[in-house]
Amino acid sequence: MSTDGHTVVDTDIHIWEPMEDLVRYFDDPWKTRLERGWEDFARRAFFPKSTGDRFVGGRLDRNVAGMDSSYPGEMRPEEIPEAMDYLGVDKCLVLSHLILAAAPALGGDDTRMTTFASGATDYLLDQVVDPNEGIYTAIPIPLDDPDDAVDLIDRVGDEEGIAGVYMITGGAEPPLGNRQYEPVYQAASEKDLTVCYHTSGAGIDNYHTKGYEKLIETHTLGFVENNFAQAVSVLVQGIPEKFPELDFVFLEAGIFYVSLLMSRLDCEYLKRPSEAPLLEQRPSDYIKESFYFGTQPLETEVDPQYLESVIDMIGGAGRLMYASDYPHWDFDRPTRITDQSFLSDSEKRKILGENAEAVFGI
């Protein structure tokens, strides 16, 4: 019990994996190419950069878990338990940091996503995951090749430390309700794995509207827009009806957008139900039944009564899961939840850990 007697499960903690360690788990030709000159080539050619100046001219410098390494910086596997102690969490879902940069920019027949997804999963299982210590991960899905994604799920989906699969919502084309992804949903359902959608908004100008220059612009818009857009596709195309055993978790866009998603999509559905023929109830009802939302970044800067109203509108504390997004610059501690006086102790327990334990089976 880490926080005020509550079990805390962090559903979105990232490892900033060192490329020189990760490439050992890649297949050729990328393994040979990157090992030959990983420090320069990998960062220039394998992953794109985000919009603007992420670290505000050096003014943003956050110590990582109270250790000597400072943010931004790579993390070693042993730093995950240290980060858990620093945050005060009992269990966590560790997701790749590097894939957040890669996924929105790599598409078409580019094999880098498949290479990275497979290698990163093997690296995490070998070096980081330890269910005995409460450390789990999820399988990153290479959206450009659903067949490869299914093969990856089949290969590692039964591993003890695998708690789900996750798709990056930024730049996903076609959107994630499209039938080309149905084999992925089917494979996840057969393995009883929760489906996570993790946003990525740093490069919104690359795949939505060109011309943004500052991170404050893309960080405001991209994270919310990406999750919003993919949730619309998943709902309208009837994924919850096609795969009723699946649970869906949306990460890293806060929660205020969910109330707008529910109200706007319900309004459209009631006017044009023939365009969503698989749905047997309002879209908002599916959200209240099988959708969950990571809290980070929780919008605590607003009047608490607005936050309370939004939580009530989207289905209450049972729809929320604590997420830190550590070690990113805007991560949330569990106190973001425990400090909310309008939440009962039972509601705090649900958000901090009980919901995640039930949904991920950890």
Side-chain angles (χ1 to χ4, degrees):
M1 299 293 181
S2 299
T3 301
D4 294 341
H6 303 107
T7 296
V8 181
V9 180
D10 186 347
T11 57
D12 185 27
I13 189 169
H14 293 278
I15 182 166
W16 202 319
E17 55 270 65
M19 180 62 78
E20 73 270 30
D21 293 343
L22 193 60
V23 297
R24 301 203 311 266
Y25 298 86
F26 284 10
D27 293 329
D28 277 325
W30 285 105
K31 182 177 186 293
T32 300
R33 292 176 186 173
L34 296 175
E35 285 182 334
R36 186 181 300 137
W38 72 268
E39 186 168 4
D40 179 49
F41 178 77
R43 302 213 176 280
R44 289 188 297 105
F46 205 84
F47 299 110
K49 294 185 177 180
S50 63
T51 307
D53 179 3
R54 179 168 289 271
F55 307 111
V56 201
R59 291 189 291 276
L60 183 62
D61 185 17
R62 180 170 293 212
N63 187 258
V64 176
M67 297 175 280
D68 292 335
S69 57
S70 61
Y71 181 88
E74 295 172 337
M75 297 171 65
R76 300 295 175 178
E78 61 269 19
E79 293 181 73
I80 293 298
E82 295 175 14
M84 292 171 68
D85 289 341
Y86 175 69
L87 291 168
V89 304
D90 301 281
K91 302 175 184 178
C92 67
L93 190 67
V94 180
L95 306 179
S96 165
H97 163 82
L98 295 179
I99 200 171
L100 302 180
L106 305 180
D109 268 341
D110 200 313
T111 62
R112 280 178 287 179
M113 274 305 304
T114 295
T115 297
F116 182 85
S118 180
T121 301
D122 290 339
Y123 166 77
L124 284 165
L125 286 172
D126 186 41
Q127 299 289 328
V128 179
V129 169
D130 186 353
N132 292 327
E133 297 298 323
I135 303 173
Y136 299 83
T137 192
I139 303 168
I141 298 302
L143 299 177
D144 57 297
D145 197 327
D147 290 338
D148 282 347
V150 170
D151 289 343
L152 181 57
I153 293 170
D154 288 342
R155 179 168 69 84
V156 301
D158 291 324
E159 294 285 340
E160 186 181 1
I162 297 292
V165 304
Y166 66 106
M167 306 179 183
I168 304 302
T169 58
E173 295 178 351
L176 297 175
N178 189 277
R179 62 182 178 272
Q180 82 169 42
Y181 305 112
E182 289 184 11
V184 175
Y185 292 117
Q186 182 64 42
S189 181
E190 290 174 356
K191 296 291 186 181
D192 195 25
L193 296 173
T194 296
V195 175
C196 300
Y197 301 96
H198 193 294
T199 191
S200 176
I204 183 176
D205 54 313
N206 291 330
Y207 50 82
H208 286 314
T209 306
K210 296 184 182 300
Y212 288 110
E213 298 179 358
K214 305 295 184 182
L215 187 68
I216 189 174
E217 298 173 303
T218 58
H219 204 265
T220 297
L221 295 170
F223 285 78
V224 171
E225 180 176 336
N226 291 327
N227 275 11
F228 196 114
Q230 301 303 339
V232 168
S233 175
V234 168
L235 285 161
V236 171
Q237 298 303 322
I239 297 300
E241 282 290 344
K242 293 177 180 178
F243 305 97
E245 301 302 317
L246 286 177
D247 290 314
F248 308 92
V249 180
F250 285 78
L251 296 169
E252 207 169 317
I255 65 172
F256 267 54
Y257 77 98
V258 183
S259 59
L260 174 60
L261 167 68
M262 295 169 69
S263 58
R264 185 160 181 84
L265 193 49
D266 275 2
C267 287
E268 294 298 320
Y269 172 71
L270 292 174
K271 296 171 186 174
R272 311 172 68 87
S274 64
E275 293 185 342
L278 293 179
L279 301 190
E280 297 183 358
Q281 56 188 346
R282 293 187 182 196
S284 62
D285 291 328
Y286 291 100
I287 290 175
K288 292 178 180 179
E289 291 175 359
S290 59
F291 280 40
Y292 299 85
F293 301 90
T295 53
Q296 194 276 338
L298 190 62
E299 295 92 336
T300 55
E301 292 77 12
V302 303
D303 189 315
Q305 67 177 340
Y306 299 143
L307 180 57
E308 183 177 10
S309 296
V310 167
I311 292 175
D312 181 65
M313 182 177 180
I314 67 178
R319 295 294 102 199
L320 303 180
M321 298 179 180
Y322 166 69
S324 71
D325 191 36
Y326 187 87
H328 296 156
W329 62 274
D330 56 344
F331 73 85
D332 285 355
R333 297 177 182 273
T335 50
R336 284 276 190 170
I337 307 302
T338 58
D339 286 350
Q340 304 312 310
S341 59
F342 62 84
L343 292 172
S344 68
D345 187 67
S346 175
E347 289 171 328
K348 291 176 183 178
R349 288 181 183 277
K350 289 180 180 179
I351 298 171
L352 286 170
E354 290 178 355
N355 294 336
E357 287 181 316
V359 170
F360 288 104
I362 59 178

